[in-house]
Amino acid sequence: NLVSVNWSRMRMWEPYLGKTESDEEIVDYVNQAREESNFTDFYFISRDGEYLTLTGDRGYLDLRYQLAALILEDQPIVANSVVPDQPEIMVFAIPARQGSYCGFDYEAIAITYNNTDLVDALKISTFDGQASTFAVLPDGRIVVNNGSEDMENIHNLFALLEKSERLTDGEIAALQEDFLSGNSGSIVFDVDGSPYYLVYEPANFQNWTVLGIVPTGVVNSSMHKLPSTTMLV
């Protein structure tokens, strides 16, 4: 839903940006859009992948094979990328009619989210903040990290699971196959002897798998309250 909304927003912005007569008006317009959408930054992108921000920062935005889809095939894209001196970002981009900003010729526009802003945009909160929610790639790399305090520094899911004494190599391999095949399911694993539930489901987007991790005690406590609450009602 967030992807669709962002692409729709940018399609509405793009005609205005092309007609605006001054660079100052573009800055005012995009800053107003940022207040409404809470994205991290705005990029003008050239045909060869160079970028220019509103503040004049220039560089190369590594979109890999998706640059061709964006520029040559006129397709909107979403990609992970990096820019100097910043954490990994999520890039939402659409093709644009050829335009110029501060003398920079562009053929696409993009907005980006760092992980903090992306989590805020998704408004993820479960079990009063005691659960962790991630989006991961098939190899276990985490692309959206909404980890609780005990999970916030995880970068690869399988690196975490390999430390679990509850899981065999075969069970971890089966989980990897589920991620590749787009299957859903749940497992129990442990971290330093503490058991956790892990529930996963395909996002049907970018080969992501969305998963939730929560201590078993938190879930069990919630379930134990349910009969009592029902009886009181």
Side-chain angles (χ1 to χ4, degrees), residues 140-142 145 152-157:
R141 283 179 294 155
I142 294 173
N145 186 334
E152 60 185 357
N153 294 319
I154 297 171
H155 303 290
N156 187 291
L157 175 68

Side-chain angles (χ1 to χ4, degrees), residues 69-178:
L70 176 66
I71 300 299
L72 301 179
E73 301 173 18
D74 288 330
Q75 297 294 323
I77 66 166
V78 177
N80 291 92
S81 189
V82 292
V83 293
D85 302 321
Q86 292 189 31
E88 189 173 46
I89 56 175
M90 187 73 65
V91 181
F92 298 76
I94 65 165
R97 285 167 288 187
Q98 292 184 359
S100 179
Y101 172 73
C102 292
F104 179 84
D105 296 330
Y106 65 88
E107 294 189 29
I109 59 174
I111 59 175
T112 65
Y113 289 86
N114 60 32
N115 186 77
T116 299
D117 290 336
L118 185 59
V119 168
D120 287 344
L122 294 171
K123 294 180 175 63
I124 301 171
S125 179
T126 55
F127 290 100
D128 295 324
Q130 298 179 81
S132 301
T133 311
F134 302 107
V136 302
L137 298 174
D139 62 3
R141 283 179 294 155
I142 294 173
V143 291
V144 179
N145 186 334
N146 187 40
S148 60
E149 185 174 343
D150 56 342
M151 293 278 175
E152 60 185 357
N153 294 319
I154 297 171
H155 303 290
N156 187 291
L157 175 68
F158 293 123
L160 173 69
L161 297 181
E162 286 170 358
K163 299 177 183 178
S164 173
E165 296 180 356
R166 289 175 178 258
L167 298 178
T168 66
D169 291 343
E171 289 172 322
I172 293 176
L175 184 64
Q176 290 176 312
E177 182 60 34
D178 277 352

Side-chain angles (χ1 to χ4, degrees), residues 11-23 25-26 29 44 96-100 106:
R11 288 190 182 103
M12 289 188 290
W13 302 340
E14 189 269 333
Y16 178 83
L17 296 174
K19 295 177 182 177
T20 303
E21 296 183 358
S22 73
D23 295 337
E25 289 180 355
I26 290 178
Y29 184 81
F44 295 97
R97 285 167 288 187
Q98 292 184 359
S100 179
Y106 65 88

Side-chain angles (χ1 to χ4, degrees), residues 161-214:
L161 297 181
E162 286 170 358
K163 299 177 183 178
S164 173
E165 296 180 356
R166 289 175 178 258
L167 298 178
T168 66
D169 291 343
E171 289 172 322
I172 293 176
L175 184 64
Q176 290 176 312
E177 182 60 34
D178 277 352
F179 285 7
L180 287 169
S181 303
N183 297 328
S184 58
S186 63
I187 62 172
V188 178
F189 71 101
D190 65 84
V191 177
D192 297 328
S194 299
Y196 287 78
Y197 290 122
L198 185 155
V199 181
Y200 56 95
E201 186 168 338
N204 297 319
F205 170 77
Q206 291 284 101
N207 294 323
W208 291 5
T209 297
V210 177
L211 55 91
I213 297 176
V214 62

Side-chain angles (χ1 to χ4, degrees), residues 57-78:
D57 294 332
R58 292 174 179 257
Y60 177 74
L61 195 61
D62 185 8
L63 301 175
R64 297 180 176 85
Y65 66 90
Q66 296 198 68
L67 179 63
L70 176 66
I71 300 299
L72 301 179
E73 301 173 18
D74 288 330
Q75 297 294 323
I77 66 166
V78 177

